[in-house]
Amino acid sequence: MRSGWLIGIDLGGTKTEVVLMDRQSQEHFRKRVATRSGDYEETLNTICALVREAESFAGVDGIPVGVGIPGSVSRVTGCVKNGNSAWINGQPMQDHLRQRLQRPLTLTNDANCLALSEATDGAGQGYQTVFAAILGTGCGAGLSVNGTLLTGPNGVAGEWGHNPLAWTAEAELLQRPCFCGRYGCNETFLSGTGLSLTHQLRTGRQVPAHILVEEARQGGRGARETFDQYLVHLARGLAAVINVVDPDIIVLGGGMSNVGEIVRELPALLPKYVFGAECHTPVVRADHGDSSGVRGAAWLGSECPPLRAKAP
């Protein structure tokens, strides 16, 4: 008989989180611990320990597990690729975890988990096509269609962060090297670190993103000009998605999504870059905030997540 419980794991560069949920979206147990950067074996140990702790709380063995990682799994090799947590790259992580835990386990990109979470019981619930973007230390995205993740044969569907920012001069792209080995990726413009880099290139000052935002709110002219440029960059990046996918809703997660000015001011800029000079696509914050990734990971283990109607 199918378990009434689901376990999700969100593996981040600095923290690893577990959640125990039931199939009615209710959380029953949650815990975060530090991620030991650079140690693959300890990463596996941490995940397994968190799963067993959640199971102990539920009093049930063999609960399905979903794991969100900052990378993707190659269908050819079964190994992790594209991870900015470099120590997991090239490892058959899904197989290793299945062997250790002896249960159904699915591993996918953390932005896919955001998309699945918000399409299932969050801001994208009831919408056909949901594009969900993480704007944090890095920048990634996932796509959900009719409540199902779209991953593609290469496992990179929605991998928006590593395309060059649309309508940007080559000289400007070359100012922004990316960890992926290319230049001018969306991540280097639209992440929090990208916002800081924009300010540094404009003014010579190195200022963290959260301080820049606060300076802009307090009327700091230089900071506000940098933030305005960030909004233009984000409008161009999202317009490129709309021109290809035309999603029914765009959901923003990650630290930058907590900046309320983004969802208030961005919609007025999108028509300048969307083909046809009009745009009616809602851009909203993730309902579940920084919990969305781990909740989406839990839904990976569900055969039929509860898609309840929400009016667009």
Side-chain angles (χ1 to χ4, degrees):
M1 186 170 69
R2 189 179 66 175
S3 169
W5 298 102
L6 300 167
I7 291 176
I9 295 283
D10 182 22
L11 172 65
T14 59
K15 58 87 180 170
T16 303
E17 183 173 14
V18 64
V19 68
L20 173 72
M21 286 172 40
D22 61 36
R23 292 174 184 265
Q24 288 71 49
S25 304
Q26 298 302 307
E27 297 182 20
H28 296 264
F29 175 83
R30 177 193 291 271
K31 184 176 182 178
R32 285 185 180 183
V33 298
T35 298
R36 188 174 296 182
S37 177
D39 191 331
Y40 176 70
E41 191 66 21
E42 187 57 30
T43 297
L44 297 181
N45 291 339
T46 298
I47 291 172
C48 291
L50 288 172
V51 168
R52 292 187 176 112
E53 193 167 350
E55 274 192 331
S56 177
F57 184 92
V60 178
D61 293 331
I63 298 172
V65 175
V67 182
I69 63 168
S72 55
V73 178
S74 168
R75 289 191 181 182
V76 176
T77 67
C79 295
V80 176
K81 61 179 182 177
N82 303 330
N84 56 15
S85 296
W87 68 94
I88 65 175
N89 284 333
Q91 297 284 358
M93 192 173 186
Q94 182 167 258
D95 288 342
H96 284 161
L97 288 171
R98 285 174 174 171
Q99 290 164 10
R100 289 191 180 208
L101 290 169
Q102 292 294 302
R103 79 207 42 230
L105 183 142
T106 304
L107 188 147
T108 193
N109 179 261
D110 52 6
N112 288 345
C113 292
L114 170 66
L116 183 58
S117 172
E118 294 298 319
T120 299
D121 62 354
Q125 184 182 336
Y127 290 85
Q128 183 176 16
T129 304
V130 178
F131 181 81
I134 296 175
L135 306 177
T137 305
C139 179
L143 275 167
S144 173
V145 180
N146 293 326
T148 300
L149 282 178
L150 180 66
T151 56
N154 302 300
V156 296
E159 196 56 81
W160 167 71
H162 294 283
N163 290 284
L165 183 67
W167 307 291
T168 302
E170 183 178 6
E172 189 176 354
L173 295 175
L174 291 174
Q175 290 180 306
R176 300 176 187 250
C178 185
F179 84 88
C180 74
R182 296 185 172 85
Y183 291 84
C185 292
N186 282 323
E187 178 163 309
T188 68
F189 288 88
L190 306 182
S191 62
T193 49
L195 170 61
S196 297
L197 180 56
T198 297
H199 193 69
Q200 182 182 349
L201 292 172
R202 288 187 62 254
T203 69
R205 291 178 62 217
Q206 288 186 310
V207 183
H210 69 280
I211 294 177
L212 274 173
V213 170
E214 190 56 36
E215 286 183 4
R217 287 170 175 165
Q218 297 301 320
R221 181 175 176 182
R224 181 66 222 197
E225 289 174 351
T226 296
F227 185 71
D228 286 343
Q229 186 62 59
Y230 175 84
L231 289 173
V232 170
H233 290 158
L234 184 56
R236 281 158 38 188
L238 291 176
V241 173
I242 295 168
N243 285 346
V244 175
V245 180
D246 206 3
D248 295 295
I249 191 170
I250 294 172
V251 180
L252 303 181
M256 289 300 296
S257 71
N258 295 320
V259 180
E261 289 86 347
I262 291 178
V263 294
R264 290 197 297 269
E265 299 178 27
L266 184 68
L269 298 175
L270 286 171
K272 298 180 182 179
Y273 302 101
V274 172
F275 184 63
E278 62 181 36
C279 182
H280 307 288
T281 309
V283 180
V284 301
R285 290 170 60 184
D287 275 358
H288 297 298
D290 66 359
S291 299
S292 214
V294 72
R295 289 174 62 89
W299 285 126
L300 288 172
S302 174
E303 295 177 3
C304 50
L307 291 174
R308 297 179 293 277
K310 177 187 284 187

